[in-house]
């Protein structure tokens, strides 16, 4: 059990990103000679990112351009630009409009390790170099964050944008002049870039900070939320949460529901089941162990609560929890 003190996060967005935990699924360093094109299929649950380190291309997102696409569905990418396709929507990259764009799975791309590929594709013209990849947030509650983002995220000039540019310069240097261990450095820099892009979008657009994401910024309710996130297995009560927030029970309950959109204990149960789903999906713990860990006296009571909140049986989540990530990676090994 965590012993971290339940104080409010100085950086509520950082708190959220830490809790949700991002995992890399697939990374690809590409060298593309004009003319070239490739289609990336829909990959539900993944956030795609693309960084051009030299040259340029066009990016078109399938079915986008409607209400949620603040940054546009068709965009020209130049060196030093970072874009993220948050919901794994299918999209196309090509050197110029009208160029043939075969499915990336049909283009040879040797895997340098379990999740890192090298792709060389196209004609004899000028070369574009890119780093692309797919990542996912492992916590089930990440759906709230991803749903708040537009179809296409591009980092705008800003203080956070300046920091992104610093990371982009490091990434470009590794792609162009990398040495031993360069692949490992590229994957880690890519992860940092995605987190910077998501953080920048959430900071720039208050409308994206709804529900528990927005409530984390509240001095008192954020304190209670952070405590639940750090210790979901603790036997929380409204009184204990109100004490953590330094509020009366009635004032706390009303404020919590107003900001988060559900009751405090309803949220505790939902978050606890999210944590249990993450525990089970690792495959190392049994349903009985999960029930004990999260404070249920019987496996049956835990299983009922889990199915009600998560929408599928705990045993199935345990058996198939790793399948989503494995399937996403397998798509690029074929």
């Amino acid at each position: 059990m965590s012993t971290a003190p339940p104080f409010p996060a100085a950086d509520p967005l950082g708190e959220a990103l830490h809790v949700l935990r991002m995992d890399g699924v697939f990374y690809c360093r590409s060298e593309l000679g004009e003319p070239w094109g490739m289609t990336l299929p829909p990959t539900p649950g993944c956030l795609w990112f693309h960084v051009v380190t030299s040259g340029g291309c066009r990016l078109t997102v399938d079915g986008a351009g409607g209400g949620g696409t603040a940054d546009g569905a068709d965009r020209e990418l130049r060196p030093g630009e970072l874009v993220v396709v948050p919901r794994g929507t299918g999209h196309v990259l090509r050197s110029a409009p009208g160029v043939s764009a075969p499915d990336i799975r049909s283009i040879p791309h040797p895997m340098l390790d379990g999740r890192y590929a090298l792709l060389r594709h196209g004609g004899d013209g000028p070369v574009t170099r890119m780093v692309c990849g797919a990542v996912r947030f492992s916590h089930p509650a990440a759906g709230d964050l991803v749903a708040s983002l537009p179809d296409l995220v591009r980092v705008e000039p800003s203080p956070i944008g300046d920091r992104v540019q610093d990371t982009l310069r490091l990434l470009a240097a590794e792609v162009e002049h990398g040495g031993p261990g360069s692949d490992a450095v590229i994957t880690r820099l890519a992860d940092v870039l995605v987190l910077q892009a998501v953080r920048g979008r959430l900071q720039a657009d208050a409308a994206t900070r709804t529900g528990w994401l927005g409530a984390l910024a509240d001095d008192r309710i954020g304190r209670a939320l952070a405590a639940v996130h750090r210790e979901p297995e603790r036997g929380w009560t409204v009184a204990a949460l109100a004490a953590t927030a330094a509020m009366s029970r009635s004032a706390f309950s009303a404020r919590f529901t107003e900001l988060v959109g559900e009751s405090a204990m309803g949220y505790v149960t939902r978050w606890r089941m999210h944590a249990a789903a993450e525990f089970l999906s690792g495959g190392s713990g049994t349903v009985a162990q999960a029930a004990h860990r999260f404070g249920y006296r019987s496996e049956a009571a835990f299983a009922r609560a889990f199915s009600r909140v998560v929408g599928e049986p705990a045993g199935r989540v345990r058996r198939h929890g790793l399948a989503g990530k494995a399937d996403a990676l397998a798509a690029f090994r074929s």
Side-chain angles (χ1 to χ4, degrees):
M1 180 178 294
S2 170
T3 58
F7 50 78
D11 176 8
L13 293 182
E15 171 82 15
L17 294 173
H18 174 75
V19 166
L20 298 178
R21 285 181 292 280
M22 194 180 76
D23 296 321
V25 175
F26 174 77
Y27 302 89
C28 183
R29 179 162 56 89
S30 301
E31 298 177 4
L32 308 159
E34 294 183 10
W36 63 270
M38 55 187 175
T39 297
L40 289 86
T43 314
C46 288
L47 292 80
W48 274 100
F49 69 89
H50 301 288
V51 178
V52 176
T53 61
S54 63
C57 69
R58 296 203 68 84
L59 166 68
T60 304
V61 180
D62 292 349
T69 313
D71 291 317
D74 188 89
R75 176 170 295 281
E76 184 175 6
L77 303 183
R78 291 299 179 191
E81 289 195 75
L82 165 68
V83 294
V84 177
V85 183
R87 283 177 285 282
T89 309
H91 52 289
V92 178
L93 295 162
R94 49 166 60 98
S95 56
V99 174
S100 175
D103 191 306
I104 190 175
R105 292 170 293 186
S106 69
I107 303 171
H109 49 276
M111 301 297 293
L112 303 184
D113 64 21
R115 57 179 183 168
Y116 190 96
L118 176 61
L119 186 151
R120 292 187 174 96
H121 174 59
D124 298 326
V127 173
T128 290
R129 291 182 174 84
M130 302 181 64
V131 175
C132 308
V135 301
R136 70 195 322 160
F137 288 106
S138 61
H139 199 289
D144 295 342
L145 181 150
V146 173
S148 72
L149 298 171
D151 297 319
L152 187 65
V153 173
R154 182 174 70 91
V155 177
E156 300 287 350
S158 67
I160 184 67
D162 292 341
R163 292 195 289 275
V164 169
Q165 290 301 315
D166 290 339
T167 309
L168 284 168
R169 281 190 285 271
L170 291 172
L171 182 66
E174 286 295 330
V175 171
E176 301 294 326
H177 312 292
S182 183
D183 296 343
V185 173
I186 287 171
T187 59
R188 283 156 179 77
L189 289 173
D191 289 347
V192 171
L193 281 171
V194 174
L195 289 172
Q196 286 176 321
V198 171
R199 179 178 64 171
R201 185 72 200 193
L202 292 171
Q203 285 179 324
D205 187 357
T208 63
R209 300 192 296 274
T210 59
W212 66 269
L213 280 169
L216 275 171
D218 183 86
D219 180 54
R220 295 188 175 187
I221 301 303
R223 189 182 306 171
L225 286 170
V228 172
H229 295 169
R230 290 167 185 159
E231 298 183 276
E233 69 279 5
R234 182 173 169 180
W236 293 107
T237 64
V238 173
L241 290 169
T244 299
M247 300 175 70
S248 69
R249 289 182 57 178
S250 58
F252 170 80
S253 294
R255 181 68 172 163
F256 190 100
T257 302
E258 176 189 358
L259 292 180
V260 181
E262 64 181 312
S263 70
M265 294 313 298
Y267 182 87
V268 168
T269 298
R270 185 163 64 89
W271 194 272
R272 185 175 287 149
M273 292 302 104
H274 285 330
E278 187 179 23
F279 172 77
L280 289 169
S281 67
S284 59
T286 66
V287 175
Q289 288 170 332
H292 177 74
R293 176 171 180 158
F294 292 98
Y296 283 79
R297 294 184 178 180
S298 74
E299 184 177 336
F302 168 80
R304 286 193 297 272
F306 188 95
S307 295
R308 184 178 69 252
V309 173
V310 177
E312 59 180 315
R316 183 183 302 166
V317 169
R318 181 176 184 270
R319 289 191 301 271
H320 302 297
L322 299 179
K325 183 172 180 178
D327 289 348
L329 179 55
F332 303 100
R333 287 176 169 165
S334 58

